[in-house]
Every structure is written in structure tokens, then in C-alpha cells.
Amino acid sequence: MAAEKKASKMTVQQLKTPKGTRDWVGADMLLRDHIFNSILDVFKRHGGVSLDTPVFELKDVLSGKYGEDSKLIYDLADQGGELCALRYDLTVPFARWLGMSNTQSIKRYQIAKVYRRDQPAVTRGRMREFYQCDFDIAGVYDSMIPDAEILRITSEIFDVLKMDISIAINHRQILDGMFAVAGVPPEKVRTISSAVDKLDKAPWAEVKKEMVEGKGLSEEVADRIGEYVKHNGDLPTIIKFLKEDQALMANSDIKAGVEDMELLSSYLNAFRVGTKVVFDLALARGLDYYTGIIYEVKTNLAPEVDKKKTKGNDELSQVGSIAAGGRYDNLVGMYGKRQIPCVGISFGVDRIYTIMKARQETEGKARVREVDVYVMAFGGSGFTGLLLERMQIVSKLWEAGIRAEFQAKVKPKLPQQFKAAEDVPLGVILGEDELKNGEVRLKALNTGAAEEEKDRGQLVKLDDLVAEIKKLL
Amino acid sequence: MAAEKKASKMTVQQLKTPKGTRDWVGADMLLRDHIFNSILDVFKRHGGVSLDTPVFELKDVLSGKYGEDSKLIYDLADQGGELCALRYDLTVPFARWLGMSNTQSIKRYQIAKVYRRDQPAVTRGRMREFYQCDFDIAGVYDSMIPDAEILRITSEIFDVLKMDISIAINHRQILDGMFAVAGVPPEKVRTISSAVDKLDKAPWAEVKKEMVEGKGLSEEVADRIGEYVKHNGDLPTIIKFLKEDQALMANSDIKAGVEDMELLSSYLNAFRVGTKVVFDLALARGLDYYTGIIYEVKTNLAPEVDKKKTKGNDELSQVGSIAAGGRYDNLVGMYGKRQIPCVGISFGVDRIYTIMKARQETEGKARVREVDVYVMAFGGSGFTGLLLERMQIVSKLWEAGIRAEFQAKVKPKLPQQFKAAEDVPLGVILGEDELKNGEVRLKALNTGAAEEEKDRGQLVKLDDLVAEIKKLL
């Protein structure tokens, strides 16, 4: 509230949000908040600690962390003083914070906006300002226990959101060992790993072509990789497959990875999430810094969303992975003297939002606010409007924690009051005669306009009103 | 999660947040969230609609809105494309949004960070990145009804936060009329109003000196102002005082303002907040754009905070106004074709935080996370650690929505488990003998270390565990 009367008047055509950003309001915000609150609930259930960092960091903190993508960082103007830039993700601020603090171990979560000067694709939900939602467990623990808890948290969150998911999982040491055994030269491991990462969207023939023609791998080596990466299934099955292959098990990375996966398998069963997890030898994940297990969550769109909403809407059917992460034991060491092992996951809340919004649209009109009761008045000739009485009664409801509104008019018309109460489930209706007896009428709203006029609801004593409303809500 | 292995290693001394910003974590975040959630609850209770705007706006949207303070705006660097700047408050983005939308009326709220390149005073809670928390009612309604609801909302919020407050209130038309009747030349009204605004912190003699010597007002006119502005009291008393002064009532602005205040008085009584409101003829508020009532909320620090925490801590006793606002009917018109009258309030959440933090510190140690149950194991020689059993039981608790943790070790030591459960109220203790009978021990924690070792809690059947825990929480 600090603008001035003499301020320059803007023309309407200039009124927009910056490219790649948007306002959120009403029903959209309620849905987004519902998603955030569901996720936060689960984070807290697991002892998560909330971290909030500034929206901008010293430029030096971000420099050299994102490789080529650094060009997408938003810089602040040099107005004297420190050089700063908007945060690009939540992981670097978390690592910076860990580097500054004395914390040895933490389960930290953060839901916040991040910024990338990318080409926006608004309909597909790719924006320049968007939310990330991260949960990470940092600290030295016994092997695979925090890893299993991250997957348990993931499973709980999608249960709460009523989304059917599966979690693909792999292990960096198994993947790298497999490349070594297949005969990939060490300097080509990362680039071949990136090629395998595309198996998600491209057929094997295409990926093989990239390996052989694009990256100079021999056809024989590529075929050996092809044999391995086609295997996926539940953890015991793939673990068995790996253990029976003596060539693979002779590799120390693979041996260590398989031991991890055996432990993980028993922990996931104890946590009752084993059935949702698929061990997929083709899962590679792009980022370099993973050192242990990696995972990606996928959803099958609910049939009603699929049928009704995706015709002509390619974006929805391309939603792809809705959460992903892994173990990264060496990142924090870049920010200080200490190395702190971490495992974490990032939820793609924009993608989750897109799916849930489509589901909501198949279920009818969404509310823009969550009011439960509308207090209204009516009367014949000589109607005073009963404003003070409406104010007194609505105050009582507020004091009882009930969400309630009334029309801010001295003499409101009944149809206007019904219209304002369009998305409100209950009406309290004041009439002068009823009030003389210490009574009002309580009625369910939105039963149809004709019905509305006829049925004036049940008579309720003022003293019982709060209790009666709470019974109905 | 997008940093790279090869990233440059930073030296420890560079590890800081930018000037005037800070990280929030653990107990501080829980307290801040408690404040935000209390406020949001009340906003929603009144049918508030949530609005979220981008953290940066087009530079043109902010230009010319903040007068001299424009130099405090953070600009984004010109990296090609639109010129943008970080938002300076939440009112201009709200007015920009109203200008873009077709909304005729809305109760909108927004809690979000704003940015000012001011000289930070960290101990006093003045930061470059800080939260604002605004509720505004926009739209054409009958006179003073939304104004009264804003004050009712304010009162409810501080009730929920258990803070004792009073609301000083005045009316711009009465203030301006009073200056006219006293003989202030029209061109000096705003500057004299600014002088009166200082009566809060400075004695009358000093303010008079500023008016006469600094601003060239005649001593006679200044004295007449001095006579008026010393009046304050409950609404009926001050209304009566004004109505009895025929010179004042002959001024049309004052007459209109007094009519507003009479309506407001009856509405505040119906809303049961009349007793918290003080009509203060000396209240001026700095900003130019107010057109009707203006108000400021003050708190008396609770005695325990005052005594224990303010010695040597001037900042706390200077906390001053913790919420303020008023009616501004002409601001939205600057952003489009439509004029939409508005009335609103902004809560100083940082100041509220400072007060509640001091109060919390007098009440003992704050929790950093809200875990309710710690699942632990103990045993004699040959102790296996019961890890899978702990995992199964903690999963059951999570499924029941209970906040629970366990130690991520295969064979945890009992003292370490008790230490990790330091701020957790309940412990579930697994022993091999008890488990054979389908039982565990449930005990209240933090009863003292010696006690902890002796009392191993009550035996509970596994099937009854969730119910027993819910009973105790």
C-alpha cells in the first residue's frame, strides 16, 4: 500500500505479467494449496524440518553449478553492492545452507519458486517462474535406510493425492559397472548413460544408432548394453538375474550396488511399498552428481482424464515423470569442509497440478473460496434489511470458527443473496417474524432456483444455530 | 538438483546469504508458519480469495508508484527481453491484477515476500527480503460495511494469536476538514498531515515547532490544530465532541466523515469489536492515497516479555504499529478503465513474529519439528536391532497419520535413541520378549534421564497401538 495519487496512469495494453509468469487466484490456488498441504502433511509426518532460503543468492554461490544451463539464470541488476541472481533450484541453496551451518544431519523440505530464463511453454506448464518441492535426508546413517524412507514418503504422498503411480529405480554403480562390463571406455560412460536415458521416449534402434554413429561405440558393445537394459521387474527378480550373471558380479561396483538393492528390497517390504517399485536397468537419469540409487515416479493417467481431456491436448499425455531423485553423496562437500551424504526427491508440482486440474474438471465446478454458510435476510414490504442482526449472527459463526459471509448491503435483495451464495452449501435466513421468536431458518443451498424460492429451510433456535451448522458440515 | 561434479569449490568465507536476507529453519519456521496459518484461517473464515502474483513485475508496472522510495526497487539485469523488477509491496500487484481482470468485487488476501534495497537493521527485524500479509476488500458495497469487516478480521486475528491490541482509527475527510477549518492553506494540508503523523513519537511542542518554523504555518493555526488532535476516546464520545462543534460540522468533508463514523460505530458494535477501537483525531498515516477511514493496530507487550526480554533490547519495546491500513478508492483507477473502491489492511508479520518469538523464549525450548512418536528398540546381548520390526511399526503409525520417526541404524544404542527423541513426547519401545507376545511398550518421554532408564512404560498390544497413541496425543 505505498503507491501515490500522482502516479502515472498506465495504459491497459501494458498490463500483463512478465513473460513466462502468471497470477494464481481462486480455484487454481485452492487446488495448488491442496496439493502443497497434502505433501507438507506427509513431510511433517516423517519429521521433516522446513527450510526457507532467500529468493536470490550471491552470484558466486550459483556460478559453475549448472554447466551450460547457467545461461538461464536470472541476474539482478548491479545497483551497487553484492552481485546476486535468482535461485535456479532448491538443491544448491540447501547445499549452501548445509555448508554454512553446523548441522550434521537433517530431513529438510522446501516448497518454493525457482527461476529459469527458458523458452516458456505455458500450455505444457513450463514456466520461467515455477515451484519446486524437495525433500532430502542429509547425514550419515546405516546403508539404504534413508533411501527406503524417501520411497516410502513418495508412496504416501501419491496415496494422499489419490494418484496411481509406479516408481522406477536403478543404481548408479550397477549402471556404471554394466557399462564397464559391456566394454564402454571409461571416458564415454557419462555420454552413453545420457543416451540410455532416452530409452524412455525413443526405441532401442534409435538409441543404438546414437551410440554407434553419434558416439563411436562399437556395435558389439552397444548390443551387449541392449541386452542388459531390457531387463526390468520387481526387485527380487532383477537382483536374482544380476546375481546369476558371473561376469557382472565380478565387477566390484555392481557387487556393491546389488548388496544395496538387497537391503533396500527388504526395507521396502517392511515399509510396505515393495509392490510399487520396478527395478529398471534402463533408468539412467541425466544429472552427473548421483552416486547411489536413482528413481523416477510415473503415473498412469486416470481413464476419465485420459478420455475426456487429452483429445487434442498432447501436453497432458506427455506429462511423463512427476517426481525424481536419488542419492548424491559428494555435492555438499563443494560448499565447505564437510562431506555430508544426501538422498532426496523433487516433486514436479506443476505436473501434478496439471493432472489434478484435469481430473477436477471432469468432476464439475471448483469453488473459488471455501465459505460454508451464507447469512441472508428477507422480508415483505417495510423490510429493513436486518443488517445489524445479520452482523451479530455472522459474528457468532466466525467466533465458532465457521466460514461465513453475508451481503454488504443495507437492504439486499433475496435473488442477489442467493446468487452470491452460489458456491456455498448452507444458508442461514433471517426473517423479522422468526427473529421475534429467537429463531432463524437453516437450509441447504443450490438445490435449484425454483426449489430455493419455495423451501425456506428448517426453523432453528439462535442458541442452537452453531451446533446445528456443525452437524450439517 | 542440477549442480555438477566438476563445479568450482567455494571457499567457506563466501558462504553467506545476500545482505539483508536470511535463511529460516526449524523452530523459527514453525513459529512463522503458526502465525501465517492463524492469519490464513481467519482470512478464509471471511470468504477471502487467495491471490499469488509473480515475484517480479514489468518495470513499468512499478514505475512512478512509490515516489522517492523508487530508488529502493531491485531491478533485474537486462539480459534481453522485458525489463523487470522485484515487487516492492503487494498492493501494486493487486491493483495491476484488478486492472487486468474482469473482477468487480473480491476479498483477496496475499502473504508473500517483498523486496527493498533499504539499509537493513537485522536486530530490529528490518530486512531487504521480508513478508507482507495483506487483506483487501474491493468492490462497490454499502457504506462502511466492508470497513467494519476489516476491523472485525483484525480483531479475530489477534485473538487467535493471543495478543492484546487496540485499534486507533481516524477518517481522512475529518482530518482534512479539520485542517481546513483550522486555517491550513490547501497546498499545505498533506505536509501538515505528515507532521501530525509524528505525534506518535514526538511531543506536541516539537511537532508544533516543525509546523511553524519548518513549514511556515502561523502559530495561531498550529494551536487550533493542537486543540483538535488531542482528542481521542471511544467512537460515541468523539463523534459527540465533533457534532457539538458547529464550526467543524459546517465543513462538508467533516460532516460526511462523521456520518461514516456513526455508521461504523453501530456496525462495530454488531460485530462486537467496538471496545477495541479508539477514535484518535491525531492519527494521520503517511501515505497519500487514503480516502476514508485509516487505522493502525498497536499492542501492549505482555508483561513477561516486557520484563525478561526487553532489557537492553530497545527494538522490542519500539515495535510500534503491527498492522495498518485504510480505505483507498482511487488507486485501482490508475491501472485501467475502471475505478474500484478498496479498503484493506497490511499485517506486519515480522513485527508480530518478533513479539511472539520473545514470548516463546520465556516459555521454554521450542521444537524444531513436530514429531509425536519415536519408535525405538532395546535388548541385551545378541540384540539384533529389530530394524525391520521398527520399520513395520512406524509404517503403521504413518498410515494412521501419526508423525513418527525411528533411528536409521541397524543396531542403535538406547541412549542415542533417547537423545534423538529429545523433543518428542511419546516413545514406542520394542523388545524381543514383548514382541513375541505381540506387545510393545508405550511411554511418555522427557521425564528426565534417570527416570527414562527405570520406567520402560506401559505394555500395549500392537493392534491397540494406534488407538492408544491417539488417546495420549
Side-chain angles (χ1 to χ4, degrees):
Chain A
M1 298 225 235
E4 289 181 13
K5 256 184 189 166
K6 300 145 225 158
S8 59
K9 185 154 176 146
M10 293 189 72
T11 55
V12 180
Q13 54 271 34
Q14 288 173 291
L15 278 187
K16 61 183 278 298
T17 61
K19 186 175 177 182
T21 70
R22 58 165 289 196
D23 297 319
W24 290 80
V25 71
D28 289 352
M29 273 295 273
L30 285 182
L31 177 60
R32 205 183 74 182
D33 284 348
H34 165 68
I35 295 169
F36 288 176
N37 289 332
S38 302
I39 293 175
L40 285 174
D41 243 29
V42 176
F43 287 169
K44 289 179 184 173
R45 206 184 281 166
H46 287 261
V49 174
S50 178
L51 174 69
D52 178 33
T53 61
V55 80
F56 49 81
E57 295 277 348
L58 293 181
K59 186 90 178 106
D60 281 350
V61 169
L62 304 189
S63 298
K65 301 299 180 305
Y66 304 105
E68 273 188 21
D69 287 345
S70 290
K71 66 178 187 297
L72 302 181
I73 292 175
Y74 274 99
D75 292 331
L76 293 193
D78 181 2
Q79 294 169 290
E82 301 161 339
L83 290 180
C84 299
L86 298 186
R87 66 182 162 219
Y88 182 86
D89 65 12
L90 302 178
T91 306
V92 164
F94 174 49
R96 190 263 308 147
W97 175 82
L98 269 177
M100 280 170 67
S101 83
N102 293 317
T103 305
Q104 291 298 332
S105 64
I106 190 170
K107 293 176 181 169
R108 96 83 177 72
Y109 62 85
Q110 184 168 10
I111 302 186
K113 287 175 176 174
V114 300
Y115 299 87
R116 298 182 184 181
R117 292 181 54 258
D118 216 338
Q119 206 46 40
V122 177
T123 50
R124 213 145 85 206
R126 193 171 74 209
M127 303 290 280
R128 292 179 154 199
E129 175 183 63
F130 63 98
Y131 270 94
Q132 284 198 341
C133 168
D134 286 14
F135 190 100
D136 295 82
I137 303 181
V140 177
Y141 298 102
D142 282 349
S143 178
M144 305 313 287
I145 304 179
D147 311 61
E149 188 167 358
I150 292 280
L151 297 176
R152 163 81 207 188
I153 288 170
T154 305
S155 161
E156 272 180 54
I157 283 172
F158 291 107
D159 277 355
V160 171
L161 295 174
K162 299 192 178 69
M163 287 174 69
D164 190 28
I165 56 135
S166 68
I167 306 174
I169 183 170
N170 200 356
H171 195 296
R172 261 292 157 85
Q173 284 180 278
I174 294 177
L175 195 69
D176 288 358
M178 201 175 70
F179 291 138
V181 172
V184 178
E187 73 278 8
K188 284 189 179 166
V189 163
R190 283 278 71 79
T191 185
I192 294 302
S193 184
S194 298
V196 167
D197 196 37
K198 291 175 190 156
L199 275 175
D200 213 16
K201 285 152 201 152
W204 168 248
E206 207 172 293
V207 171
K208 180 181 166 183
K209 198 174 162 207
E210 183 184 332
M211 289 178 175
V212 176
E213 293 176 19
K215 304 189 167 172
L217 207 64
S218 80
E219 196 156 334
E220 200 189 356
V221 173
D223 283 337
R224 255 181 255 140
I225 294 172
E227 271 310 299
Y228 288 133
V229 299
K230 71 184 182 195
H231 289 273
N232 63 67
D234 59 32
L235 272 83
T237 305
I238 303 302
I239 290 170
K240 187 159 171 282
F241 161 75
L242 291 169
K243 288 179 88 167
E244 283 170 354
D245 187 325
Q246 292 186 359
L248 289 178
M249 292 305 283
N251 178 288
S252 64
D253 273 343
I254 295 184
K255 191 160 172 289
V258 169
E259 277 166 20
D260 277 356
M261 295 305 264
E262 285 187 296
L263 269 183
L264 183 70
S265 179
S266 76
Y267 296 162
L268 291 181
N269 286 339
F271 278 153
R272 311 207 231 183
V273 291
T275 55
K276 286 183 185 167
V277 177
V278 176
F279 192 167
D280 183 352
L281 292 181
L283 180 72
R285 303 276 306 128
L287 294 173
D288 282 359
Y289 60 68
Y290 290 119
T291 55
I293 62 164
I294 48 180
Y295 31 84
E296 220 170 86
V297 180
K298 285 181 191 160
T299 181
N300 291 318
L301 287 178
E304 78 275 14
V305 173
D306 221 10
K307 260 188 246 153
K308 279 204 178 178
K309 290 286 153 185
T310 57
K311 47 174 185 197
N313 187 353
D314 282 348
E315 291 78 21
L316 256 187
S317 46
Q318 286 173 12
V319 155
S321 122
I322 51 172
R327 173 164 286 283
Y328 53 103
D329 285 347
N330 302 327
L331 187 64
V332 176
M334 296 198 298
Y335 289 95
K337 291 164 292 205
R338 304 175 307 157
Q339 197 60 274
I340 302 180
C342 294
V343 60
I345 189 158
S346 187
F347 293 86
V349 280
D350 292 311
R351 289 173 171 189
I352 294 168
Y353 172 86
T354 305
I355 292 167
M356 293 197 54
K357 173 99 181 164
R359 192 164 76 188
Q360 190 182 57
E361 279 164 4
T362 68
E363 286 166 1
K365 207 180 165 191
R367 295 166 76 182
V368 298
R369 66 205 199 295
E370 297 173 299
V371 171
D372 292 320
V373 180
Y374 206 91
V375 176
M376 46 183 94
F378 81 108
S381 64
F383 174 52
T384 62
L386 297 170
L387 176 59
L388 295 182
E389 290 80 0
R390 281 182 287 140
M391 286 177 157
Q392 284 158 1
I393 288 169
V394 82
S395 291
K396 266 198 188 181
L397 303 187
W398 290 331
E399 270 150 39
I402 294 167
R403 297 175 177 183
E405 281 194 310
F406 69 102
Q407 193 152 49
K409 298 266 180 196
V410 175
K411 289 190 194 179
K413 296 198 177 76
L414 197 58
Q416 284 174 357
Q417 295 177 83
F418 276 123
K419 191 169 183 316
E422 228 169 30
D423 55 353
V424 178
L426 281 180
V428 169
I429 307 178
L430 280 61
E432 298 198 342
D433 293 341
E434 291 88 343
L435 274 180
K436 275 179 203 144
N437 300 325
E439 291 177 331
V440 293
R441 290 181 181 275
L442 179 59
K443 92 183 239 27
L445 297 179
N446 305 313
T447 49
E451 188 57 27
E452 222 92 280
E453 291 293 322
K454 250 191 297 166
D455 167 27
R456 292 265 148 92
Q458 56 164 321
L459 278 171
V460 175
K461 286 270 170 213
L462 269 178
D463 288 341
D464 304 332
L465 184 60
V466 165
E468 283 296 320
I469 288 172
K470 289 200 165 170
K471 220 184 285 170
L472 291 173
L473 288 178
Chain B
M1 302 225 234
E4 286 181 18
K5 259 185 190 166
K6 300 145 224 158
S8 59
K9 186 154 175 146
M10 293 190 71
T11 55
V12 180
Q13 53 271 33
Q14 287 173 293
L15 277 187
K16 62 183 279 297
T17 60
K19 187 175 177 182
T21 69
R22 56 165 291 193
D23 297 318
W24 290 80
V25 71
D28 290 353
M29 272 296 275
L30 285 182
L31 177 60
R32 204 183 75 184
D33 284 349
H34 165 68
I35 295 170
F36 287 176
N37 289 333
S38 302
I39 293 175
L40 285 174
D41 241 31
V42 176
F43 287 170
K44 288 179 184 172
R45 205 184 282 166
H46 287 261
V49 174
S50 179
L51 174 69
D52 177 33
T53 60
V55 80
F56 49 81
E57 294 277 347
L58 294 181
K59 186 90 179 106
D60 281 350
V61 168
L62 304 188
S63 299
K65 301 301 181 304
Y66 304 104
E68 275 188 18
D69 287 344
S70 290
K71 65 178 187 298
L72 302 181
I73 292 175
Y74 274 99
D75 291 331
L76 294 192
D78 181 1
Q79 295 169 289
E82 299 161 340
L83 290 180
C84 298
L86 298 187
R87 65 182 161 219
Y88 182 86
D89 65 12
L90 302 178
T91 306
V92 163
F94 175 48
R96 188 264 306 148
W97 176 82
L98 269 177
M100 281 170 67
S101 82
N102 294 317
T103 305
Q104 291 297 330
S105 65
I106 190 170
K107 292 176 181 169
R108 97 81 177 73
Y109 62 86
Q110 184 168 10
I111 302 186
K113 287 175 174 174
V114 301
Y115 299 87
R116 298 182 185 181
R117 291 180 55 258
D118 216 337
Q119 206 46 39
V122 177
T123 51
R124 215 144 86 205
R126 193 173 73 211
M127 303 290 281
R128 289 178 158 200
E129 175 182 63
F130 63 98
Y131 270 94
Q132 283 199 340
C133 168
D134 285 14
F135 190 100
D136 295 80
I137 302 180
V140 176
Y141 298 103
D142 281 350
S143 179
M144 305 313 288
I145 304 178
D147 311 59
E149 188 166 359
I150 292 280
L151 297 176
R152 163 81 206 188
I153 288 170
T154 305
S155 161
E156 273 180 53
I157 282 173
F158 290 107
D159 278 354
V160 171
L161 295 174
K162 300 194 178 66
M163 288 174 68
D164 189 28
I165 56 134
S166 67
I167 306 173
I169 183 169
N170 200 358
H171 195 296
R172 261 293 159 83
Q173 284 181 280
I174 294 176
L175 195 69
D176 289 358
M178 201 175 70
F179 292 138
V181 172
V184 177
E187 72 278 9
K188 286 190 179 166
V189 164
R190 282 279 71 80
T191 183
I192 294 302
S193 185
S194 298
V196 167
D197 196 37
K198 291 173 190 159
L199 273 176
D200 215 15
K201 286 151 201 154
W204 167 248
E206 207 172 293
V207 170
K208 180 180 166 183
K209 198 176 161 201
E210 182 186 331
M211 288 177 174
V212 176
E213 293 175 20
K215 302 189 167 172
L217 206 64
S218 80
E219 194 155 334
E220 202 189 351
V221 171
D223 283 338
R224 253 181 258 140
I225 294 172
E227 271 310 298
Y228 289 133
V229 298
K230 71 185 182 194
H231 290 275
N232 62 68
D234 59 31
L235 273 84
T237 305
I238 304 301
I239 291 169
K240 187 159 171 281
F241 161 75
L242 291 169
K243 289 180 88 168
E244 283 170 355
D245 188 325
Q246 291 188 359
L248 289 179
M249 292 303 285
N251 178 288
S252 63
D253 273 344
I254 295 184
K255 191 160 173 289
V258 169
E259 277 166 18
D260 277 356
M261 294 305 264
E262 284 187 295
L263 269 183
L264 183 69
S265 178
S266 77
Y267 296 162
L268 292 180
N269 287 338
F271 277 153
R272 308 207 233 181
V273 290
T275 55
K276 287 184 185 167
V277 176
V278 176
F279 192 168
D280 183 352
L281 292 181
L283 180 74
R285 304 275 307 127
L287 295 172
D288 281 1
Y289 60 66
Y290 291 119
T291 54
I293 63 163
I294 49 180
Y295 33 82
E296 219 170 88
V297 180
K298 283 178 192 164
T299 180
N300 292 319
L301 288 177
E304 78 276 11
V305 174
D306 220 8
K307 261 188 246 151
K308 281 206 180 174
K309 289 285 152 190
T310 59
K311 48 175 181 191
N313 187 352
D314 281 350
E315 292 77 23
L316 256 188
S317 47
Q318 287 173 10
V319 156
S321 120
I322 50 173
R327 173 163 285 284
Y328 53 103
D329 285 348
N330 301 326
L331 187 64
V332 176
M334 297 198 299
Y335 289 95
K337 290 164 291 202
R338 305 174 308 157
Q339 197 59 272
I340 302 181
C342 294
V343 60
I345 190 158
S346 187
F347 293 87
V349 281
D350 293 309
R351 289 173 170 188
I352 294 168
Y353 173 85
T354 304
I355 292 167
M356 293 196 55
K357 173 99 180 163
R359 193 163 76 189
Q360 190 182 57
E361 279 165 5
T362 68
E363 287 165 359
K365 207 178 163 194
R367 296 166 73 180
V368 299
R369 67 208 200 292
E370 297 173 300
V371 171
D372 292 320
V373 180
Y374 205 91
V375 177
M376 46 184 95
F378 81 107
S381 64
F383 175 51
T384 62
L386 297 171
L387 175 60
L388 295 182
E389 291 80 358
R390 283 183 285 142
M391 285 177 156
Q392 283 157 1
I393 288 170
V394 82
S395 290
K396 265 199 189 180
L397 303 188
W398 290 331
E399 271 150 36
I402 294 167
R403 296 175 178 183
E405 281 194 309
F406 69 103
Q407 193 153 48
K409 299 266 182 197
V410 175
K411 289 190 195 179
K413 297 200 175 75
L414 196 59
Q416 284 175 356
Q417 294 177 81
F418 276 123
K419 193 170 182 313
E422 228 169 30
D423 57 351
V424 179
L426 282 179
V428 169
I429 306 178
L430 279 61
E432 298 199 341
D433 292 340
E434 292 88 343
L435 275 179
K436 276 177 204 148
N437 300 325
E439 290 177 332
V440 292
R441 290 182 182 276
L442 178 60
K443 91 182 240 27
L445 297 180
N446 305 313
T447 49
E451 188 57 27
E452 223 93 279
E453 292 293 321
K454 250 191 298 168
D455 168 26
R456 294 264 148 94
Q458 56 163 319
L459 279 171
V460 175
K461 286 269 168 216
L462 270 176
D463 288 343
D464 303 333
L465 185 61
V466 166
E468 282 297 318
I469 288 172
K470 290 200 165 169
K471 222 185 283 169
L472 290 174
L473 289 176

